[in-house]
Amino acid sequence: MPIVETHLYTHFYERKRDRYPASRNGIYYIESGAMSFTLQNGQRGFLKAGDFTLYSSGAVFDIKTHEEYGPFKAHAVVLDLSIFQEFRNSFDNSVLPYEPEEFYTFQLGNNQPSHLLTTLLEFTKSVQTNEFTLKHVALSLLGCMVHEHPSLYKIIASASQLTVTQKVIHLIERNIEDEITLESMSKRVGMSTATLKRKLASEGLSFSSLLKIKRITHATNQLRSTEKSITQIAYESGFKSAAHFSTAFKGVQGMTPKEFRLKISQESNRV
């Protein structure tokens, strides 16, 4: 997974819930239309064309688009965990006044956060942009957002702190195409294989099941949002063959990748 990536949304529909979810954190920008949602504290939020905000997918529920505001089009700019961690480690939070964490909306216009968001969106479209550039534009954008609204720092700090299980999920997703084993993962998180296995088991998880589900989840998102071939998606999701992928996918989703893609296409045409 790139250090910064964008996803385009034109509608929302019910999805099978990820059994092992990992929050996506970043910037959500509404290009046209409007959407509403519910936050963890029960507060309702609303974003219209031109609005953008710092978000965490794990803290947003009951998302709805509103046809009365026109066709919906939004961009989720997903920032890698390392960006939030670097920001937290380098930012002098001692200068921040105490403010409770809250939802805050920015408006696209003649201001620094807007300029940086536009730049970041453009850079993510270019295959020539390197990760160093993406990371530092993203860090600058977070800095400007926190400067305007200091309470956002609490969201960034929260996003940068992970449990052992969350670290494992993050590393799997970051290296989804690669060969991943329990032994290699235990080295990455800095503990013995037995300790990692025990910690996962304490949450009712096994490493093999976790890895399989995350590979299927990645493939599901690719089938849903790209036009890549099923074979390409299989390899990019870490499966050794399209046949192995199809069998594993059907075991989780209840249908083959081809059937799933057809179902998504039919749902999109009805929207």
Side-chain angles (χ1 to χ4, degrees), residues 177-237:
E177 295 183 36
D178 302 335
E179 178 73 24
I180 305 172
T181 65
L182 178 62
E183 290 73 20
S184 65
M185 184 59 67
S186 63
K187 292 178 182 178
R188 295 290 296 273
V189 297
M191 60 183 62
S192 69
T193 300
T195 300
L196 177 56
K197 190 174 182 178
R198 186 168 60 251
K199 284 185 177 293
L200 292 174
S202 69
E203 296 184 41
L205 304 176
S206 75
F207 180 77
S208 60
S209 295
L210 180 59
L211 179 59
K212 176 184 174 181
I213 292 299
K214 296 315 295 184
R215 291 198 191 283
I216 294 296
T217 299
H218 178 268
T220 300
N221 291 334
Q222 293 293 299
L223 288 166
R224 184 182 281 123
S225 61
T226 76
E227 296 181 358
K228 295 176 182 178
S229 71
I230 290 174
T231 298
Q232 182 180 356
I233 291 173
Y235 288 121
E236 290 183 356
S237 301

Side-chain angles (χ1 to χ4, degrees), residues 67-252:
E67 296 180 0
E68 63 270 27
Y69 288 87
F72 182 74
K73 189 175 182 181
H75 303 266
V77 185
V78 182
L79 307 182
D80 186 70
L81 169 69
S82 62
I83 293 177
F84 290 97
Q85 290 176 329
E86 184 165 337
F87 185 90
R88 183 199 64 191
N89 294 336
S90 62
F91 195 82
D92 182 9
N93 61 352
S94 64
V95 303
L96 294 174
Y98 174 79
E99 292 187 48
E101 179 182 319
E102 63 181 48
F103 173 74
Y104 185 79
T105 303
F106 296 82
Q107 284 77 42
L108 204 65
N110 188 25
N111 56 70
Q112 199 60 43
S114 293
H115 297 325
L116 288 166
L117 174 62
T118 301
T119 300
L120 190 59
L121 285 169
E122 288 300 319
F123 278 161
T124 58
K125 297 175 185 176
S126 173
V127 296
Q128 297 179 337
T129 307
N130 58 47
E131 287 201 349
F132 178 87
T133 301
L134 288 171
K135 180 180 74 170
H136 285 279
V137 174
L139 286 168
S140 297
L141 175 54
L142 292 179
C144 285
M145 295 175 80
V146 170
H147 177 74
E148 285 201 13
H149 203 72
S151 71
L152 292 178
Y153 177 78
K154 294 183 179 294
I155 297 176
I156 295 171
S158 176
S160 68
Q161 298 172 346
L162 300 180
T163 64
V164 170
T165 299
Q166 289 170 331
K167 287 178 182 177
V168 170
I169 290 172
H170 170 74
L171 287 168
I172 288 174
E173 293 182 336
R174 192 84 171 91
N175 303 277
I176 198 72
E177 295 183 36
D178 302 335
E179 178 73 24
I180 305 172
T181 65
L182 178 62
E183 290 73 20
S184 65
M185 184 59 67
S186 63
K187 292 178 182 178
R188 295 290 296 273
V189 297
M191 60 183 62
S192 69
T193 300
T195 300
L196 177 56
K197 190 174 182 178
R198 186 168 60 251
K199 284 185 177 293
L200 292 174
S202 69
E203 296 184 41
L205 304 176
S206 75
F207 180 77
S208 60
S209 295
L210 180 59
L211 179 59
K212 176 184 174 181
I213 292 299
K214 296 315 295 184
R215 291 198 191 283
I216 294 296
T217 299
H218 178 268
T220 300
N221 291 334
Q222 293 293 299
L223 288 166
R224 184 182 281 123
S225 61
T226 76
E227 296 181 358
K228 295 176 182 178
S229 71
I230 290 174
T231 298
Q232 182 180 356
I233 291 173
Y235 288 121
E236 290 183 356
S237 301
F239 291 93
K240 296 186 182 300
S241 70
H244 179 206
F245 168 53
S246 184
T247 300
F249 189 92
K250 187 171 183 179
V252 174

